[in-house]
């Protein structure tokens, strides 16, 4: 059953909805939900020994428990790259990307709600993860992706048995097509953007880091940001760890965008609380970092607020640095997809403070930068 007293909550106007409903957005403002979820008891570091070696070991802080859909996701290695920069190898997940952290939560929630169908949209990795976990849960799944999505990702989606819709146009057109389908009765919209259960999956990235660093966190956590699901999960985890008395300070969140598609960085530098007027108008510029090429992220206000509250900042990287960063990591033994190298491209030469970067997807998903 679902955790008692957990409800959807609109951060804009306070509207609530039951988590047993299939309502995927606030009916008043149309924005994404947050989750009004209260941790019933603090996580005890001493209780972790002997627990399951997956993200579900942090059961006290998760809004779902005892999953039937798990594929053993989580507990990925943390390895040093330099004296100050370490990498979390989230490309070693069951579907080869960090999106498994949130997808397992969505699939588990959908399994308990038993909808007629599950719909998702993605630039590739989230759709692959949702397709895999829906297969695990025995749920019919349809995934919408934009034209130009890596054939290796579309092959993986089909292999998991999902119905694939390739949408003409960019990521925004794909999202609109999926949201139209999501409004059909009996449909669970497995949105990694609108459904907050996904964020409670991605927050385990930081809980694992905290455990592996002996109950501490680095000075900064750098994450690639498109729709911001990993960054918002990290912000959620650091708030929770601080509230539970498990850390003394919150690390700075360093948000990284491709220079070619950087609407959030532009808003941050302008001191704005939301996207600037005209952001996202017209087609998105091409970039090797396709997974973060999001011109109008629905959670923009939350992302900007989270970075500022942490004392962090935005960094942008040009295409040539993305290319060279992928080759540099490969020379270090780590072959990572082009989106996943953006943070290394941004912070690889830092020397003054400790930072962890995620390597979010395997290089085999997109191949080499060209």
């Amino acid at each position: 059953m679902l955790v008692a007293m957990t409800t959807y909550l609109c951060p804009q106007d306070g509207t609530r909805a039951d988590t047993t409903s299939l309502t995927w957005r606030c009916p008043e403002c149309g924005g994404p939900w947050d989750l009004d979820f209260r941790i019933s008891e603090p996580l005890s570091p001493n209780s972790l020994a002997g627990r399951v070696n997956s993200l579900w070991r942090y059961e006290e802080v998760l809004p779902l428990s005892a999953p039937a859909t798990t594929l053993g996701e989580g507990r990925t290695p943390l390895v040093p790259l330099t004296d100050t920069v370490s990498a979390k190898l989230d490309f070693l997940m069951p579907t080869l990307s960090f999106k498994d952290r949130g997808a397992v939560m969505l699939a588990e929630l959908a399994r308990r709600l038993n909808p007629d169908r599950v719909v998702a949209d993605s630039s590739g990795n989230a759709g692959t993860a949702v397709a895999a976990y829906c297969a695990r849960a025995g749920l019919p799944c349809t995934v919408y992706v934009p034209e130009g999505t890596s054939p290796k990702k579309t092959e993986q989606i089909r292999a998991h048995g999902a119905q694939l819709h390739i949408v003409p146009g960019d990521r925004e057109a794909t999202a609109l097509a999926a949201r139209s389908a999501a409004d059909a009765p009996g449909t669970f919209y497995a949105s990694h953007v609108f459904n907050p259960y996904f964020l409670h999956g991605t927050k385990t990235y930081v809980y694992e880091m905290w455990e592996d660093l002996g109950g501490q966190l680095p000075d900064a956590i750098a994450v690639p940001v498109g729709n911001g699901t990993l960054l918002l999960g990290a912000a959620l985890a650091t708030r929770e760890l601080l509230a539970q008395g498990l850390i003394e300070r919150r690390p700075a969140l360093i948000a990284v965008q491709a220079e070619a598609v950087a609407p959030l960085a532009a808003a941050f530098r302008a001191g704005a609380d939301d996207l600037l007027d005209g952001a996202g108008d017209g087609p998105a510029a091409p970039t090797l970092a396709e997974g973060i090429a999001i011109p109008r992220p629905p959670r923009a206000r939350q992302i900007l607020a989270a970075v500022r509250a942490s004392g962090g900042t935005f960094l942008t990287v040009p295409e040539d640095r993305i290319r060279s960063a992928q080759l540099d990591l490969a020379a270090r033994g780590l072959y990572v997809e082009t989106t996943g190298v953006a943070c290394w491209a941004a912070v690889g030469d830092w020397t003054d403070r400790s930072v962890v970067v995620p390597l979010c997807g395997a290089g085999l998903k997109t191949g080499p930068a060209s």
Side-chain angles (χ1 to χ4, degrees):
M1 61 182 296
L2 303 183
V3 174
M5 303 305 293
T6 300
T7 64
Y8 291 132
L9 172 67
C10 176
Q12 297 300 316
D13 57 35
T15 300
R16 292 180 180 269
D18 197 289
T19 55
T20 60
S21 74
L22 295 178
T23 303
W24 60 268
R25 60 181 171 181
C26 173
E28 299 299 321
C29 71
W33 293 117
D34 278 351
L35 199 63
D36 187 2
F37 165 66
R38 315 291 170 83
I39 296 174
S40 58
E41 58 180 295
L43 181 67
S44 169
N46 296 330
S47 70
L48 295 174
R51 288 193 180 184
V52 61
N53 195 36
S54 73
L55 63 81
W56 297 97
R57 68 196 280 108
Y58 311 110
E59 58 185 356
E60 293 94 333
V61 301
L62 294 175
L64 296 174
S65 61
T69 53
T70 183
L71 290 167
E73 56 287 330
R75 298 298 291 143
T76 55
L78 184 66
V79 301
L81 295 176
T82 70
D83 290 342
T84 56
V85 182
S86 295
K88 187 124 170 69
L89 309 191
D90 260 23
F91 65 89
L92 298 179
M93 290 282 204
T95 76
L96 307 181
S97 93
F98 88 94
K99 295 291 176 63
D100 290 2
R101 294 185 184 277
V104 67
M105 300 292 287
L106 296 184
E108 181 63 23
L109 177 62
R111 185 189 69 82
R112 300 179 191 200
L113 299 180
N114 194 29
D116 296 331
R117 68 194 66 81
V118 175
V119 167
D121 61 282
S122 168
S123 59
N125 284 338
T128 295
V130 170
Y133 284 94
C134 281
R136 181 75 165 173
L139 294 167
C141 178
T142 301
V143 179
Y144 292 76
V145 300
E147 60 183 355
T149 298
S150 165
K152 297 177 182 181
K153 293 179 181 178
T154 57
E155 177 185 356
Q156 194 176 5
I157 291 169
R158 288 192 176 103
H160 290 306
Q163 184 177 358
L164 183 69
H165 281 279
I166 298 177
V167 179
D170 60 11
R171 185 66 182 83
E172 288 292 297
T174 303
L176 291 174
R179 291 167 196 167
S180 178
D183 287 329
T187 301
F188 179 88
Y189 184 26
S191 172
H192 59 294
V193 182
F194 278 79
N195 193 303
Y197 278 88
F198 195 94
L199 306 181
H200 282 265
T202 62
K203 77 181 181 184
T204 59
Y205 166 86
V206 172
Y207 276 93
E208 290 175 17
M209 189 190 310
W210 163 81
E211 183 180 358
D212 289 343
L213 292 175
Q216 299 180 6
L217 289 175
D219 296 323
I221 301 172
V223 291
V225 174
N227 277 309
T229 55
L230 184 55
L231 183 136
L232 291 173
L236 186 60
T238 57
R239 287 198 302 270
E240 289 178 352
L241 285 164
L242 187 64
Q244 293 172 83
L246 296 174
I247 55 173
E248 295 181 355
R249 55 165 184 81
R250 293 176 62 189
L253 297 178
I254 309 301
V256 178
Q257 296 205 285
E259 199 172 84
V261 185
L264 290 161
F268 182 86
R269 291 164 183 167
D273 295 330
D274 205 341
L275 298 176
L276 301 178
D277 290 344
D281 291 350
T287 175
L288 293 168
E290 63 179 16
I292 53 174
I294 309 297
R296 295 196 61 82
R299 293 187 183 269
R301 294 182 66 89
Q302 290 177 285
I303 296 166
L304 291 164
V307 172
R308 289 192 173 106
S310 75
T313 191
F314 275 80
L315 300 175
T316 58
V317 288
E319 299 301 293
D320 60 338
R321 282 175 59 189
I322 294 174
R323 289 186 182 91
S324 61
Q326 187 184 43
L327 293 174
D328 181 71
L329 281 174
R332 297 168 187 263
L334 300 167
Y335 186 40
V336 184
E337 70 171 327
T338 45
T339 297
V341 305
C343 289
W344 176 240
V347 306
D349 57 355
W350 280 25
T351 59
D352 59 339
R353 52 181 173 161
S354 61
V355 60
V356 171
V357 301
L359 303 184
C360 295
L364 295 175
K365 281 177 167 280
T366 55
S370 59

